[in-house]
Amino acid sequence: MNILVCIKFIVDPNQLQADEATGKPDFQRASYRINNWDEQAIEAALQLAAQHGGKVVAISLIKTPPPKELILTALAMGLDSVYLVKDEAGLAADAFRIASVLAAAAGTIAERESIDGWDVVLCGEASVDDYNGQVGPRLGTALDLPIITYATRLDLSGNRLTADRAVEERLETVETDLPALITVGMEINDPRRPTVIQIMGAGGKPTVELDISELNGFDGSVFSAEASIRDIEIAAQPSIRKQQVVEGDSPAEIVEELLNRLGAAGEVAF
Amino acid sequence: MAMQQGGILVFSEDPGVIGELLTVGRELGGQAGTGVTVVASGEDAGERAEEARARGADGVLLVHAEAPVQNGVEADVEVLREAIRTATPKVILLGATSVGLELAARVAQEIGVPCASDCMSLRIDADGGLEVERRVYGGRFIVRQVISGTPKIATVQPKRFAMAEKINNDLSCDVTEITVKIGTPRVHLVSVSERARSQVDITKADVIIAAGRGIKRIEDLEMMEKLANLLEGVVAGSRPLTGDVDWLPVDRRIGLSGQTVKPNLYIACGISGQIEHIVGIKDSRTVVAINNDPKAPIHMESDYSIIGDLYEIVPALIAACERTHTQ
């Protein structure tokens, strides 16, 4: 069984600060990470492969190179290889284009890996930076695959995949035949955390760079300039919080101090 | 009468969301000089059509779906595809529910256009583009974007807008009936169960005690309930406690995939403060965090932080509240 996992290297929103002068995100000082739910997608892929055998390959569409350590971390989790599809011109500017590029890349990578195709394509349900939640279902559409979103459990028997999924206030159990595209969120697993030694040791595994122009059957000129979505402005939502640390020598003292401050500020009357 | 073309098309699987989308649709329709058509589908399509008319829709596409089996989002894709073919809308609005996000993405990909997810404001600009505002980087930043081309597809943040009010006069509303033959789904629904629900609406609570991954056992939620009772509040939770483990009903989930709350006092116990959660507590008046990890992002998002063990702090808080109550 061959599994393709789509991953995104993102600025960690928890660490992203606004530039004080402009109010815009300060990407220079930000740290990067693998999108949270993509780690869960990697873990789900590795668990499927552990039970049923096969190759697990990750693909990431990048504008600029991600920190090497993050690529090594992904490999150290157990991936067989990582493909970086370079889009230096920023052609894949929206989710339609990203999914179209990934669909072409899926075919190109299968060819390079000398396999017939992908049995499972796995994506995180969204990336926590843009929070579009579109690329997974769009890629499934572009590849004409059955799509199971928001999976919380996967169980494979032969060619039949059974999944639990959490949607709104329902829990569903669904089934489909492979190949299929699956998106996963935080419920599905706890991703493994490779050790520093494992991360250092992952350098021997292949990282393959492909330029967007090298993808089979992909022609960027098909993207209409007319149908676009573009940013006009991005502005910080300033934190309105006091960010005071309440301290004391014992839990009772800390709590007393907290209640004093809450009461003094007129916020809560106890 | 012929179906009005080039207007605004509203689709949602959720009747309440349709009402909210009508509010947005009528506003945009006023700006663009076009009408709003609502897709009424599902078993209660007739009721939905009537509801849409009463709430000021200019047109209704009443869908008769001929489906071989009980079907999920694949049927919605087919219905929406046919509705778009019939109405050739300029703008398509869906709810940014889990289903709505997926549906919008799938249909937009088929058509070959982008889509703006989870919009919190929308307007038609001077050039006829659809200008939207969205939360990015976990709500730390707001991005303003403009969508051009046809059709323009956007999903709207649920509960952001009030439902369109009932007008209840004899406004004209074109009803066009269409029949959609639904194919055999590729993903088969084996079973569905409703997740447990509580009787509590956490969005209306004045005090919220929120539990996160720092809670080790389900029994420990009793301590949270006790504190909540003393403060006349309710217990809610982050996504791990309402999904990863089903310790709390899913309608008590706060965050991107749950509810947005606006209590006077919000006490986060053992919550790390991932963006997913923080988005839902922005409107709280005062935030208190109890977390033993000094590096937890929740401390940046709090008015008062206690860096300590919730298993020591919460009992101390309960004791202090009990003392106040008996005085």
Side-chain angles (χ1 to χ4, degrees):
Chain A
M1 188 173 65
N2 300 302
I3 307 175
L4 183 66
V5 189
C6 301
I7 64 176
K8 184 177 181 185
F9 299 101
I10 62 165
V11 167
D12 185 347
N14 285 325
Q15 311 296 334
L16 185 62
Q17 303 297 326
D19 181 294
E20 279 178 24
T22 65
K24 296 195 183 324
D26 183 356
F27 294 115
Q28 303 298 323
R29 285 191 300 159
S31 59
Y32 283 74
R33 61 165 299 156
I34 301 168
N35 176 42
N36 313 38
W37 296 328
D38 299 349
E39 291 180 345
Q40 262 121 359
I42 294 174
E43 180 65 40
L46 294 172
Q47 289 183 12
L48 281 176
Q51 289 160 23
H52 303 278
K55 209 176 252 189
V56 182
V57 175
I59 176 176
S60 188
L61 180 56
I62 59 166
K63 204 170 165 185
T64 52
K68 180 116 186 92
E69 184 204 317
L70 289 185
I71 302 170
L72 291 177
T73 303
L75 286 166
M77 286 179 76
L79 295 170
D80 292 297
S81 55
V82 170
Y83 280 77
L84 300 174
V85 177
K86 290 192 295 178
D87 173 29
E88 283 166 354
L91 193 62
D94 60 52
F96 166 63
R97 295 174 172 210
I98 292 167
S100 305
V101 171
L102 288 175
T108 306
I109 296 170
E111 199 170 282
R112 297 238 175 170
E113 293 284 323
S114 307
I115 56 174
D116 290 337
W118 304 103
D119 299 292
V120 176
V121 180
L122 267 158
C123 299
E125 69 176 44
S127 63
V128 300
D129 54 352
D130 284 343
Y131 209 76
N132 272 312
Q134 294 182 30
V135 169
R138 279 179 179 271
L139 180 57
T141 302
L143 292 172
D144 194 22
L145 293 174
I147 299 166
I148 297 175
T149 47
Y150 316 109
T152 58
R153 185 186 65 88
L154 300 175
D155 182 31
L156 184 63
S157 170
N159 199 41
R160 193 76 172 157
L161 182 81
T162 306
D164 290 344
R165 57 193 299 262
V167 210
E168 262 73 68
E169 292 179 1
R170 301 189 302 282
L171 293 172
E172 293 183 358
T173 300
V174 296
E175 281 184 355
T176 196
D177 287 331
L178 298 187
L181 181 135
I182 317 291
T183 76
V184 301
M186 69 164 71
E187 290 83 5
I188 194 161
N189 55 44
D190 282 318
R192 64 196 71 186
R193 302 274 166 223
T195 63
V196 174
I197 291 170
Q198 286 170 325
I199 293 169
M200 281 160 48
K205 288 186 173 182
T207 304
V208 185
E209 294 194 2
L210 285 174
D211 191 82
I212 198 168
S213 62
E214 293 176 80
L215 304 180
N216 299 344
F218 176 72
D219 176 9
S221 67
V222 300
F223 291 148
S224 149
E226 216 170 288
S228 71
I229 181 165
R230 77 191 150 77
D231 293 358
I232 305 172
E233 190 183 27
I234 181 162
Q237 290 284 90
S239 176
I240 51 168
R241 299 296 163 206
K242 296 193 177 81
Q243 299 180 355
Q244 296 180 7
V245 177
V246 180
E247 291 171 312
D249 289 333
S250 67
E253 262 188 50
I254 295 171
V255 162
E256 197 184 332
E257 176 60 19
L258 172 70
L259 297 186
N260 284 342
R261 290 201 206 176
L262 285 172
E267 286 160 326
V268 178
F270 284 95
Chain B
M1 193 188 290
M3 164 101 237
Q4 188 197 5
Q5 305 291 304
I8 291 158
L9 190 71
V10 162
F11 185 101
S12 180
E13 71 292 348
D14 180 329
V17 173
I18 292 179
E20 296 166 22
L21 295 175
L22 256 171
T23 299
V24 179
R26 283 169 58 183
E27 182 79 29
L28 295 180
Q31 293 163 8
T34 62
V36 184
T37 298
V38 170
V39 181
S41 62
E43 282 171 13
D44 54 349
E47 283 165 49
R48 288 177 179 224
E50 186 47 39
E51 181 81 7
R53 190 200 62 78
R55 292 187 192 275
D58 301 292
V60 168
L61 266 179
L62 183 57
V63 178
H64 303 282
E66 295 175 358
V69 290
Q70 194 184 3
N71 208 312
V73 68
E74 286 179 63
D76 289 338
V77 169
E78 294 191 57
V79 167
L80 182 55
R81 186 192 292 144
E82 189 59 24
I84 293 168
R85 209 184 59 77
T86 308
T88 58
K90 278 196 186 110
V91 175
I92 303 167
L93 301 176
L94 297 97
T97 57
S98 304
V99 171
L101 286 169
E102 175 182 350
L103 185 57
R106 291 173 73 153
V107 169
Q109 189 69 21
E110 286 185 3
I111 301 172
V113 293
C115 165
S117 293
D118 200 35
C119 300
M120 52 196 286
S121 82
L122 306 91
R123 70 178 193 95
I124 304 289
D125 72 12
D127 302 320
L130 179 62
E131 189 181 299
V132 301
E133 285 185 312
R134 308 178 45 235
R135 304 174 293 190
V136 289
Y137 302 109
R140 287 233 163 90
F141 294 85
I142 304 287
V143 67
R144 199 142 54 87
Q145 301 177 306
V146 65
I147 314 174
S148 46
T150 307
K152 300 164 182 64
I153 306 182
T155 58
V156 178
Q157 194 183 330
K159 296 190 177 154
R160 176 90 193 172
F161 298 91
M163 287 176 74
E165 288 194 15
K166 290 200 177 179
I167 303 171
N168 280 332
N169 60 11
D170 289 328
L171 284 178
S172 66
C173 175
D174 294 338
V175 178
T176 306
E177 301 195 25
I178 58 171
T179 301
V180 183
K181 285 197 164 58
I182 308 290
T184 305
R186 293 203 280 181
V187 176
H188 299 270
L189 194 57
V190 179
S191 65
V192 189
S193 59
E194 293 294 316
R195 293 161 101 167
R197 296 193 59 150
S198 49
Q199 301 303 313
V200 178
D201 182 356
I202 61 169
T203 65
K204 295 199 169 72
D206 197 43
V207 174
I208 292 178
I209 312 298
R213 222 186 263 269
I215 302 290
K216 298 191 185 82
R217 301 170 308 167
I218 190 168
E219 300 86 76
D220 301 336
L221 286 172
E222 283 169 25
M223 166 173 89
M224 314 296 287
E225 283 289 352
K226 194 166 183 187
L227 180 59
N229 286 338
L230 284 164
L231 295 173
E232 294 173 21
V234 300
V235 175
S238 59
R239 186 163 160 179
L241 256 67
T242 54
D244 216 358
V245 293
D246 263 331
W247 290 357
L248 283 168
V250 69
D251 56 356
R252 298 228 190 167
R253 177 187 296 175
I254 295 168
L256 261 178
S257 59
Q259 313 262 20
T260 299
V261 295
K262 41 185 187 309
N264 266 319
L265 176 64
Y266 178 85
I267 305 182
C269 306
I271 287 181
S272 65
Q274 292 304 310
I275 287 302
E276 147 77 26
H277 183 73
I278 295 299
V279 167
I281 67 168
K282 290 261 181 213
D283 298 334
S284 305
R285 180 156 171 230
T286 300
V287 175
V288 175
I290 304 167
N291 194 304
N292 58 9
D293 176 5
K295 287 189 186 149
I298 189 76
H299 297 303
M300 297 288 291
E301 302 294 339
S302 302
D303 294 292
Y304 304 110
S305 287
I306 296 174
I307 297 164
D309 184 349
L310 76 92
Y311 284 90
E312 290 177 2
I313 302 296
V314 172
L317 203 45
I318 289 171
C321 292
E322 281 175 337
R323 271 200 306 279
T324 321
H325 274 243
T326 50
Q327 269 167 16

